[in-house]
Amino acid sequence: MRRFSFWLLWSLRELRRRWVQVAVIALVIAIGTGVYAGLSSTSDWRRASYDASYEALNAHDLHVTLAEGSYVPQNDLQNALSAMQHPEWVDQAEERLIQPTQVEASRADDTVLVPGRVVGIPTAGGAPGIDKIYVASGSGFSEGSGAVLDAHFADQYKLPEEGTVELAGGVPVQYSGTGFSPEYFIITTGQGDFNAQANFAVLFMPLEEIQTITGRTRQVNDLVLSLQAGTDRGAAATEVEQALAIALPDVGVEVETIEDDAAYHVLYQDVDSDQGTNVAIAFLVLLGAAFAAFNLINRIVESERREIGIGMALGVPRRTIALRPLLVGGEIAALGVVFGIGIGFLMGSLLGSALSSLQPLPVWRTPFQVGPFAGAAAVGFLLPFLATAWPVWRAVRVEPVQALQTGHLAARGGGLAPLLKRLRLPGKSLGQMPVRNILRAPRRTILTALGIGATIVVLVAVLGTLDSINEVLNRMSAELNKGAPERVTVTLANFQPADSDLAKAIENSPAVGSAESTLTGGASITNEGTRLDMQVQALDMESPIWHPTVNSAVDAGGLPGIVLAEKAASDLHLKPGDTLMLTLPYRTGETTFALRQTEMRLTGLHPNPIRLFAYIDIEEANLFGLAGFTNGFQLIPASGYSASDVKEAMFHLPGVASAQEPAAVADTTRDQLRQFSSIFQIVGGFVFLLALLIAFSAASISVDERRRENATMEAYGVRVRTLLRIAAIESGMIGILGTILGVGLGVLALGWLLSRTSGTIPDIQLLVSVKPATIIITLAVGIAATAIAPLLNVRKLRRMDVPSTLRVME
Amino acid sequence: MGAAMPVTRNKPEVMIRLDNVSKHYDMDSVGVTALDSVSLRVDEGEFIVVLGPSGSGKTTLLNMIGALDTPSSGEIAVAGMRVTGARRKELFSFRRRAVAFIFQSFNLFPGLTALENVQFAVDVTGGHDREEARRMLAEVGLGERVEHFPHELSGGEQQRVAIARALATGNPVLLADEPTGELDFRTGVAILELLRKQAEAGKTVLVVTHNREISRVADRVVELSSGKIISDGPPEGGRALISDLRW
Ligand SMILES: Nc1ncnc2c1ncn2[C@@H]1O[C@H](COP(=O)(O)OP(=O)(O)OP(=O)(O)O)[C@@H](O)[C@H]1O
Ligand SMILES: [Mg+2]
């Protein structure tokens, strides 16, 4: 027996001889490894950066909000905390006043008028100490003055780092810089969306100033607390709730921990679900590489059956015989991993800088991640290596005599070719060739199809995600725009009597054709242990302007009725006709609301995919204790006026928090998605490349394996062009098989992806939707890549030395 | 055997013509001359054996005639076409119309049955007769084995399929390189007989061998040595019957 170095050198010679195929497979492995390492690194960077950013701005542990429309005198909330059983748990507490408002930031050529909120925070003496403001540009608060505009919003509309915006009623506010606090690390409008800065503006101002502007002198409606290190947030929340219930019995309060914070939830959930997706994508790419590596090693082993047989006949142990092909497999895998680390490093640094510019945070940490890279290297090596071990193991298990049989005795028809004896194919010999070849090598056909299928899954999943999001947006727009596309919905900053000056001003505005008042309030439903937050709107359920579509309607049977989104009903395990307990704010005084439970009947389901929306008839307004009050309108423009005119008119009325087309969120989200189309083109190109590489590797193996047959055909005058056409059709057919497989599995994968996404954005009913265009693009990519791949062998075929190939004795 | 009857023709046409054909290989500064100024004329319907020791250039010569290989210098014309100087495309079409190869190692398509292997040749040359392939197999004595795959046939049977395939092209020139090389004596004799019959039916047949005994059955023996023709004429001691051969 020879030394290891002998086998190593021999295996390296093998690599050199097949360097094109080796390079192709190594490249596929490299892409898989690189994708895994690069994407996994970003997950770790994001998690570390979020942790550090929340820490840096001393994010709150607990957040107390008052029921909508409730205000209490300043210091009441803070003072109430002394009634806690363990007041020493609280490190700091700060009161705030948060008011919804319209924000206008229009500039010369661009109208920007969006709903938003002003956040009044203590700014004197080092405050705020909790939920500090990270100033991204310009300057923050000094000496209790200044205002900071949300940087996401400012970036979205390319606003200067200092300037003026107007609040509802035309109140101008000078802002001194842009920035945000932890609750606004990512912007949500509270309707289950995120990255909503195009439709939502936040302005941070000194508490006293906002109290003055809104006429709520020395009033607050919000409290944030930070706890002593090591304190149980849940236990503290319960104590705070109890203390506030004693001190302020008429006011409904809700206490949430930082984990309940919408931005916090979205950020961390998104990292988790992205990480799952990344691993899945990288795994699919590596799987494709493994199949390709398997095919190549299988071919190497098969073409060396005779050497293996001779070795066995000479008494070389099987282990030793297996060593060389195993070394070849290991070397290909190692080569792939080495390049993969490079690709991963490159990808990581690109993604790292893209991330920090796409998502501004006070702290971004992007150190080299040893763990993900080591993991990627291990998987990237093992998967293809194990794929090579199987054919090697099979080859060395045959009897020596079998291995030695060669030439005309061993050159079997192969695979499923005998099937064809029964199955008469139409057409001439050359036309039948592709089908015959496919059936002759069924294992390679299937593995290649699986490899291509694996990459196609990635494309279907990515394009399908886009389709599904678009489908949600379309469902949303269809429901909200039905009947009245020019409708404008208005929300007021506070509840107003139906005959108040503001209500009259709205109804009598010359831009408004018809108006109808609505009442909207935050509420919640608990059923079978699941609690969902709801935004309940009371409106005329028979309104000629707009009313929700009600499916599966049932009679309320004496109880007040409520209409929920399909997803809300199914998440709560409710069906139409069931009764449920609705917790909603009930007016207890001029500016106070308590939370009250009411038994309701689910009278139907509306098709809006946003789970949050619930509707009751305006006749039931008394459930809020608000009969005769209003905090919203739906309007139709007067003839000669447009929706924009109405919005403009509403902006100038103080007390209007927002006026917008009801589907504005869907529309801007759709616009934002369109900006991502280049990403999908990149993914498409990338999948095309992978499919091309895998198909090329298979086709190039076939050309090697059929050299003799091809040479014979050339001797009989069959042209190279015809041989290429046969190969292209054969490969294209494998491509069709793989693509169909990929589309099928892709739809399943999409379902899995969307179910994960549902964890991040549970408020949206995402349904698996794959547009015909996606199927067509996918088929085109899969089939084009596979049909083109064999053409890359043109050189090999043209350069084939026909005489020597024919002369070779097998 | 009746096969020994020579075919008489009024005006035999020149089917193959080589003028001063040479072939050199340049390998790592060591030049090999496979063929050295070979000139040759072969008439239609001749049965010729190319004889010579290993490495003398027999295969090279055959490949030149079949336009599988191009000479370094000299002129070749086959079946009325000038092969040297023709374009690649014309060479492919030449091989479909003019010549048919029979190989030492058969080179049947392992994935095709005997019948399909022969049908391939009919299709490639643009034939339309669906029965032609079956007829050819019957002619080589394999009418019963049409549905068998190559690996299910013996070496001799495989070579017969290869001959049937070559015949099915209907092309005037048959080029056989060591067609009996892998076969035993009796089988080899039968194959030779088959080829000889084709010459009698009007085909021009060139058989390459290094076996002097085989050359005895030819009308004419062309002997090569080191790339040169050293003799050209009827076999030594006159033409023998195939049944007289001894291996
Ligand atoms: N592709 C090639 N490159 C280099 N030399 C070659 C090549 N093909 C043939 N030769 C050389 O040309 C010479 C003639 O080869 P050829 O195959 O024609 O001989 P042959 O008479 O058919 O021999 P055999 O009876 O062994 O088949 C030999 O010396 C051979 O080494
Ligand atoms: Mg030879």
Side-chain angles (χ1 to χ4, degrees):
Chain A
M1 223 241 284
R2 308 284 202 102
R3 280 168 302 126
F4 180 77
S5 61
F6 167 79
W7 297 103
L8 188 66
L9 280 177
W10 197 355
S11 69
L12 287 174
R13 191 178 305 162
E14 188 74 45
L15 281 195
R16 208 177 56 193
R17 198 159 72 82
R18 302 175 188 270
W19 73 268
V20 176
Q21 288 163 354
V22 167
V24 163
I25 292 168
L27 191 59
V28 180
I29 295 173
I31 292 173
T33 312
V35 166
Y36 183 88
L39 291 181
S40 301
S41 292
T42 66
S43 299
D44 287 5
W45 290 339
R46 283 164 69 184
R47 212 171 276 119
S49 303
Y50 297 161
D51 288 348
S53 297
Y54 277 99
E55 177 79 41
L57 298 185
N58 194 26
H60 65 256
D61 288 301
L62 300 181
H63 182 193
V64 178
T65 44
L66 304 193
E68 202 166 329
S70 297
Y71 299 90
V72 295
Q74 202 164 328
N75 295 331
D76 277 13
L77 292 173
Q78 219 153 350
N79 292 341
L81 296 178
S82 55
M84 282 172 69
Q85 215 173 333
H86 301 92
E88 72 278 9
W89 283 355
V90 177
D91 179 35
Q92 290 184 64
E94 280 175 358
E95 291 177 338
R96 314 188 297 190
L97 176 64
I98 296 176
Q99 281 290 90
T101 180
Q102 289 270 93
V103 176
E104 158 132 53
S106 300
R107 286 179 307 143
D109 48 349
D110 200 9
T111 308
V112 180
L113 177 56
V114 299
R117 67 168 58 130
V118 270
V119 179
I121 47 176
T123 54
I130 308 170
D131 288 343
K132 294 182 198 169
I133 307 291
Y134 161 65
V135 180
S137 71
S139 58
F141 300 100
S142 61
E143 308 295 323
S145 73
V148 174
L149 183 64
D150 172 45
H152 304 88
F153 173 75
D155 287 349
Q156 173 80 35
Y157 293 108
K158 312 239 175 333
L159 302 179
E161 62 179 36
E162 54 187 75
T164 311
V165 293
E166 278 184 33
L167 304 184
V171 181
V173 176
Q174 280 271 331
Y175 65 91
S176 52
T178 69
F180 45 84
S181 70
E183 285 162 286
Y184 305 98
F185 278 167
I186 192 162
I187 303 298
T188 123
T189 65
Q191 295 189 356
D193 53 356
F194 54 89
N195 288 331
Q197 50 268 27
N199 265 314
F200 199 72
V202 183
L203 191 63
F204 302 91
M205 291 176 71
L207 181 59
E208 299 72 29
E209 230 169 282
I210 182 67
Q211 285 170 334
T212 311
I213 289 175
T214 56
R216 302 214 168 266
T217 318
R218 299 202 55 75
Q219 287 192 318
V220 296
N221 63 357
D222 197 277
L223 175 76
V224 283
L225 299 92
S226 65
L227 302 173
Q228 293 293 349
T231 311
D232 178 349
R233 287 184 186 132
T238 312
E239 285 196 13
V240 169
E241 208 160 340
Q242 286 163 353
L244 288 171
I246 296 164
L248 305 161
D250 292 340
V251 180
V253 296
E254 194 165 14
V255 184
E256 288 184 329
T257 65
I258 184 73
E259 287 90 353
D260 299 323
D261 181 70
Y264 185 97
H265 180 82
V266 164
L267 286 181
Y268 282 95
Q269 278 274 346
D270 197 38
V271 177
D272 287 346
S273 79
D274 278 3
Q275 173 67 356
T277 310
N278 297 344
V279 170
I281 287 176
F283 181 75
L284 285 169
V285 172
L286 280 175
L287 208 61
F291 290 139
F294 179 95
N295 278 339
L296 179 63
I297 299 294
N298 204 35
R299 165 68 192 148
I300 292 177
V301 169
E302 219 126 80
S303 71
E304 282 168 11
R305 280 166 62 99
R306 177 130 91 175
E307 270 113 318
I308 291 174
I310 293 170
M312 284 177 169
L314 292 175
V316 181
R318 293 199 163 133
R319 248 176 307 126
T320 314
I321 292 173
L323 187 61
R324 188 169 57 100
L326 282 180
L327 277 172
V328 173
E331 283 154 6
I332 295 175
L335 203 65
V337 165
V338 169
F339 284 123
I341 300 287
I343 291 181
F345 195 72
L346 206 76
M347 232 178 115
S349 59
L350 285 176
L351 285 172
S353 59
L355 266 179
S356 46
S357 72
L358 276 177
Q359 197 181 355
L361 278 185
V363 187
W364 262 111
R365 299 222 164 121
T366 57
F368 178 76
Q369 295 289 324
V370 177
F373 272 81
V379 178
F381 180 83
L382 278 180
L383 208 57
F385 179 70
L386 290 180
T388 66
W390 156 248
V392 173
W393 180 74
R394 235 169 39 110
V396 297
R397 273 185 62 243
V398 300
E399 291 305 314
V401 60
Q402 268 175 289
L404 274 172
Q405 277 179 349
T406 51
H408 57 87
L409 283 177
R412 312 201 132 236
L416 303 173
L419 249 183
L420 288 169
K421 258 202 240 183
R422 304 222 167 72
L423 211 122
R424 288 256 165 260
L425 289 175
K428 298 208 163 189
S429 311
L430 290 175
Q432 299 174 351
M433 220 54 107
V435 179
R436 286 179 186 284
N437 288 343
I438 282 176
L439 290 175
R440 271 170 69 197
R443 196 181 312 124
R444 184 161 65 235
T445 299
I446 288 169
L447 288 176
T448 307
L450 282 174
I452 288 160
T455 64
I456 292 293
V457 168
V458 175
L459 186 59
V460 173
V462 170
L463 292 181
T465 303
L466 185 69
D467 285 353
S468 301
I469 295 173
N470 268 318
E471 192 266 350
V472 163
L473 298 174
N474 292 344
R475 250 187 300 153
M476 202 169 148
S477 300
E479 169 67 2
L480 293 175
N481 286 339
K482 69 169 175 154
E486 286 277 87
R487 182 166 69 113
V488 172
T489 54
V490 168
T491 60
L492 307 183
N494 293 291
F495 295 102
Q496 301 282 338
D499 56 356
S500 64
D501 290 346
L502 178 57
K504 282 193 191 129
I506 291 170
E507 286 163 347
N508 298 333
S509 164
V512 172
S514 52
E516 213 175 83
S517 66
T518 57
L519 260 177
T520 308
S524 67
I525 301 174
T526 307
N527 193 54
E528 292 184 12
T530 310
R531 194 200 114 145
L532 293 188
D533 286 329
M534 291 287 149
Q535 184 182 302
V536 179
Q537 183 168 51
L539 79 174
D540 178 0
M541 292 295 270
E542 246 117 70
S543 162
I545 295 182
W546 183 87
H547 58 90
T549 308
V550 181
N551 296 322
S552 323
V554 297
D555 194 69
L559 286 173
I562 187 167
V563 174
L564 297 179
E566 285 163 15
K567 183 161 198 289
S570 82
D571 288 354
L572 287 165
H573 312 289
L574 289 169
K575 54 185 190 310
D578 288 350
T579 57
L580 56 91
M581 296 304 286
L582 179 72
T583 307
L584 78 175
Y586 185 82
R587 191 162 186 260
T588 48
E590 184 65 23
T591 59
T592 53
F593 286 81
L595 295 175
R596 211 171 74 158
Q597 288 214 325
T598 310
E599 189 177 24
M600 315 264 303
R601 189 179 304 281
L602 179 57
T603 49
L605 305 174
H606 67 75
N608 193 318
I610 306 299
R611 183 176 69 173
L612 198 68
F613 295 152
Y615 301 97
I616 62 176
D617 197 276
I618 191 81
E619 297 290 309
E620 317 279 7
N622 224 7
L623 292 173
F624 292 106
L626 280 171
F629 278 81
T630 177
N631 70 343
F633 283 88
Q634 43 179 345
L635 309 174
I636 298 280
S639 71
Y641 288 90
S642 68
S644 310
D645 297 334
V646 173
K647 278 159 54 179
E648 188 61 30
M650 292 304 114
F651 177 69
H652 293 289
L653 300 174
V656 170
S658 77
Q660 59 179 346
E661 285 100 334
V665 170
D667 294 341
T668 41
T669 309
R670 209 178 282 118
D671 284 347
Q672 280 180 331
L673 279 182
R674 225 164 275 140
Q675 293 169 10
F676 281 110
S677 65
S678 62
I679 292 183
F680 296 101
Q681 281 162 14
I682 292 171
V683 173
F686 167 81
V687 168
F688 178 84
L689 179 72
L690 278 176
L692 186 76
L693 290 176
I694 292 172
F696 170 71
S697 131
S700 138
I701 291 169
S702 294
V703 166
D704 275 358
E705 193 173 80
R706 302 201 185 113
R707 276 178 66 204
R708 218 179 155 77
E709 288 169 61
N710 288 336
T712 308
M713 286 203 251
E714 283 198 39
Y716 271 84
V718 177
R719 304 186 56 189
V720 171
R721 190 200 294 169
T722 311
L723 296 180
L724 281 173
R725 195 182 65 220
I726 292 172
I729 295 174
E730 176 186 344
S731 181
M733 284 165 76
I734 297 175
I736 292 175
L737 191 70
T739 308
I740 290 173
L741 212 69
V743 169
L745 294 175
V747 171
L748 292 181
L750 179 62
W752 176 79
L753 266 178
L754 293 185
S755 70
R756 292 181 62 90
T757 310
S758 290
T760 315
I761 39 172
D763 278 319
I764 297 178
Q765 183 188 28
L766 270 176
L767 299 178
V768 173
S769 161
V770 181
K771 282 193 198 142
T774 295
I775 303 279
I776 291 168
I777 291 171
T778 307
L779 284 174
V781 165
I783 296 166
T786 47
I788 288 171
L791 306 185
L792 303 178
N793 284 313
V794 62
R795 239 171 80 93
K796 207 174 211 168
L797 277 174
R798 278 208 188 284
R799 295 209 155 181
M800 178 167 65
D801 182 347
V802 176
S804 344
T805 308
L806 287 169
R807 181 171 16 213
V808 165
M809 305 286 289
E810 275 186 352
Chain B
M1 272 198 188
M5 290 290 290
V7 178
T8 48
R9 285 186 174 268
N10 296 342
K11 193 175 137 219
E13 289 178 22
V14 178
M15 190 53 103
I16 301 169
R17 207 187 67 229
L18 280 79
D19 288 318
N20 284 317
V21 170
S22 297
K23 177 74 178 178
H24 309 286
Y25 292 105
D26 287 323
M27 310 206 35
D28 301 336
S29 75
V30 187
V32 178
T33 300
L35 283 181
D36 192 356
S37 288
V38 171
S39 295
L40 183 69
R41 271 169 181 59
V42 181
D43 289 339
E44 184 177 353
E46 269 192 289
F47 183 74
I48 292 196
V49 165
V50 179
L51 182 68
S54 188
S56 56
K58 307 181 295 291
T59 299
T60 308
L61 178 71
L62 206 70
N63 288 343
M64 298 284 168
I65 296 170
L68 276 183
D69 211 343
T70 46
S72 310
S73 63
E75 292 273 319
I76 302 174
V78 177
M81 181 181 146
R82 205 171 135 254
V83 175
T84 34
R87 284 181 299 134
R88 212 182 139 84
K89 188 176 165 182
E90 292 166 342
L91 291 183
F92 274 98
S93 121
F94 165 80
R95 290 204 295 270
R96 284 197 298 275
R97 280 185 6 253
V99 295
F101 283 93
I102 297 156
F103 308 96
Q104 176 176 357
S105 45
F106 323 138
N107 285 337
L108 293 177
F109 299 110
L112 302 186
T113 61
L115 184 64
E116 289 163 346
N117 263 288
V118 180
Q119 184 63 41
F120 163 83
V122 177
D123 289 344
V124 161
T125 50
H128 294 290
D129 187 348
R130 298 305 296 173
E131 285 308 304
E132 178 78 358
R134 221 170 261 278
R135 246 192 336 268
M136 288 302 149
L137 278 171
E139 181 161 339
V140 299
L142 282 177
E144 307 293 297
R145 312 291 301 269
V146 290
E147 296 292 357
H148 287 235
F149 282 100
H151 70 265
E152 294 165 335
L153 298 171
S154 74
E157 286 162 348
Q158 287 189 54
Q159 193 59 297
R160 283 177 205 233
V161 175
I163 291 171
R165 179 172 69 179
L167 292 177
T169 60
N171 295 348
V173 179
L174 295 187
L175 302 172
D177 193 354
E178 305 269 9
T180 59
E182 289 201 3
L183 306 175
D184 63 65
F185 170 69
R186 288 176 64 79
T187 321
V189 166
I191 291 294
L192 275 180
E193 224 169 61
L194 199 55
L195 288 172
R196 154 108 242 178
K197 248 171 67 187
Q198 301 315 317
E200 280 156 19
K203 306 263 185 210
T204 307
V205 182
L206 256 84
V207 177
V208 160
T209 182
H210 59 263
N211 187 316
R212 191 165 294 277
E213 188 69 15
I214 286 181
S215 72
R216 288 176 55 207
V217 304
D219 302 328
R220 182 176 158 197
V221 176
V222 174
E223 197 167 349
L224 281 180
S225 177
S226 304
K228 284 199 172 76
I229 295 182
I230 52 166
S231 73
D232 182 355
E236 253 172 74
R239 218 183 80 192
L241 292 176
I242 286 181
S243 51
D244 292 342
L245 296 187
R246 291 184 311 273
W247 248 261

